[in-house]
């Protein structure tokens, strides 16, 4: 496991990552495509970033995990600015590959598993004392559980708010199996991440 630097004042990389996210968040907050959807998308950002800050002294992740967190949050902040169904990169990909929809949301869901499985595994190893062998499987299971719970939360929010905002927030783009596909992509990303982590550990 990578060395951890719990003193924020000495962790230059973490300082740069925090600065990057703050700057990107400010840009994403300037005239987003749908202000109400932007606010909904950022509720989880506020919660999880606040949780990481509040628990930093008790449990600091490795710099590798913070880099992975930052990449994922960057992808999410871009999606919150445009709404996931309207991100320009997704339209470019749609035209380049002849796809039927904007797949930016699919990329982010896959990235959730790919990028967040490693921090989950680190948490299991260092905080829960899980054995190395089990940590790979449990990290995948946690990603799958979190992804499924998130899809349920999205559905509840969509039912509680007005239909237009709910559709923007869900970003289903007319696909009735969108939630299942998103969950499977997150699961697939976590499997890839744990396979790579396992192979790297054997070297």
């Amino acid at each position: 496991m990578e060395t951890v630097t719990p003193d924020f004042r000495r962790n230059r990389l973490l300082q740069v990552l925090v600065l990057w996210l703050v700057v990107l968040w400010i840009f994403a907050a300037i005239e987003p495509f749908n202000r109400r959807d932007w606010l909904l998308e950022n509720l989880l950002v506020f919660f999880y970033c606040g949780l990481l800050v509040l628990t930093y002294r008790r449990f600091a992740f490795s710099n590798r995990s913070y880099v992975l967190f930052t990449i994922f949050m960057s992808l999410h902040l871009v999606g919150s600015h445009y709404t996931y169904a309207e991100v320009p990169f997704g339209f470019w990909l749609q035209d380049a590959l002849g796809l039927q929809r904007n797949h930016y949301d699919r990329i982010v869901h896959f990235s959730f598993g790919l990028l967040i499985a490693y921090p989950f595994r680190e948490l299991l190893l260092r905080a829960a004392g899980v054995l190395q062998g089990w940590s790979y499987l449990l990290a995948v299971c946690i990603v799958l559980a979190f992804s499924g719970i998130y899809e349920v939360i999205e559905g509840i929010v969509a039912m509680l708010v007005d239909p237009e905002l709910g559709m923007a927030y869900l970003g289903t783009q007319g696909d009735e199996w969108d939630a299942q596909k998103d969950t499977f992509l997150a699961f697939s990303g976590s499997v890839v991440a744990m396979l790579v982590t396992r192979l790297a550990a054997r070297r």
Side-chain angles (χ1 to χ4, degrees):
M1 190 62 64
E2 187 184 348
T3 303
V4 176
T5 308
D7 188 350
F8 181 77
R9 293 169 299 181
R10 296 174 50 204
N11 195 330
R12 296 295 184 188
L13 176 60
L14 184 55
Q15 292 171 10
V16 171
L17 295 176
V18 170
L19 179 62
W20 160 256
L21 284 177
V22 170
V23 171
L24 182 60
W25 183 86
I26 291 172
F27 276 101
I30 298 174
E31 297 184 359
F33 276 36
N34 187 319
R35 175 65 65 182
R36 294 174 67 193
D37 177 68
W38 174 88
L39 180 59
L40 281 176
E41 297 286 3
N42 275 273
L43 289 178
L44 288 177
V45 174
F46 298 147
F47 176 77
Y48 286 113
C49 287
L51 188 63
L52 287 174
V53 170
L54 290 174
T55 60
Y56 180 73
R57 289 190 176 183
R58 175 171 287 185
F59 184 91
F61 285 91
S62 65
N63 279 349
R64 181 176 300 166
S65 286
Y66 285 122
V67 168
L68 296 173
F69 280 136
T70 301
I71 296 172
F72 177 74
M73 290 305 303
S74 298
L75 293 171
H76 176 73
L77 288 174
V78 171
S80 72
H81 176 80
Y82 291 101
T83 75
Y84 275 87
E86 303 291 334
V87 174
F89 175 75
F91 285 128
W92 175 85
L93 200 63
Q94 181 179 356
D95 293 337
L97 301 179
L99 303 174
Q100 295 182 344
R101 73 193 293 277
N102 187 321
H103 279 277
Y104 185 80
D105 64 323
R106 303 274 197 245
I107 294 172
V108 176
H109 280 282
F110 179 81
S111 298
F112 175 76
L114 184 68
L115 300 172
I116 307 302
Y118 183 90
F120 275 143
R121 178 175 177 269
E122 182 178 341
L123 186 63
L124 288 168
L125 289 171
R126 292 177 44 215
V130 172
L131 296 176
Q132 289 270 353
W134 282 103
S135 65
Y136 301 101
L137 175 61
L138 290 178
V140 171
C141 291
I142 292 175
V143 167
L144 182 60
F146 265 76
S147 183
I149 291 170
Y150 179 74
E151 294 298 330
V152 172
I153 293 173
E154 272 193 330
I156 293 173
V157 170
M159 288 188 294
L160 293 178
V161 299
D162 63 88
E164 180 182 352
L165 180 58
M167 290 306 295
Y169 181 57
L170 288 174
T172 60
Q173 301 181 62
D175 187 352
E176 62 180 355
W177 297 103
D178 182 73
Q180 290 83 353
K181 291 177 182 178
D182 289 345
T183 302
F184 176 74
L185 284 169
F187 167 76
S188 301
S190 67
V191 170
V192 172
M194 290 300 95
L195 286 175
V196 172
T197 302
R198 176 59 176 164
L199 290 174
R202 295 174 115 184
R203 292 183 179 180

